[in-house]
Amino acid sequence: MKLNIVQADMHKDEEGAFLGKTIFEVEGHKAAYEITFFSKKGKEWDYSLNYAHESGLEAEFVKVDEMVEQDDDQFDELLDAAMSKLPESE
């Protein structure tokens, strides 16, 4: 799947946990997606995949969800985009 990163963000909360998101498009898909990330220490990540704006086709969403779950390289691409926005002071 060819991804286009639209926007990314990452910060630490008051307890030091990492909170971030990446908004991205997938070539040929109707809707953009948003994946949010959470990690207490920046090693093991929980995530949630949603539509970024308006809903798209369920079949396309399922394919993206499977990609995020199974393709470590593409998951890391999305996570790295968010991590690159972490302020250096954090």
Side-chain angles (χ1 to χ4, degrees), residues 2 13-14 18 22 24 27 30 34 43-44 51 55 57 59 64 71 73 79 82 87 90:
K2 183 163 171 55
D13 68 11
E14 60 278 347
F18 293 82
T22 300
F24 64 101
E27 186 175 289
K30 174 184 173 185
E34 176 181 88
K43 296 188 188 236
E44 294 182 20
Y51 291 109
S55 295
L57 300 173
V64 173
D71 190 328
D73 290 335
L79 178 58
E90 296 186 32

Side-chain angles (χ1 to χ4, degrees), residues 55-74:
S55 295
L57 300 173
E58 183 178 354
E60 292 177 349
F61 184 90
V62 169
K63 286 181 183 179
V64 173
D65 190 42
E66 289 173 354
M67 175 273 299
V68 168
E69 187 70 31
Q70 298 173 4
D71 190 328
D72 291 341
D73 290 335
Q74 291 202 302

Side-chain angles (χ1 to χ4, degrees), residues 17-35:
F18 293 82
L19 300 168
K21 70 176 180 179
T22 300
I23 296 175
F24 64 101
E25 300 167 331
V26 175
E27 186 175 289
H29 285 215
K30 174 184 173 185
Y33 303 93
E34 176 181 88
I35 186 168

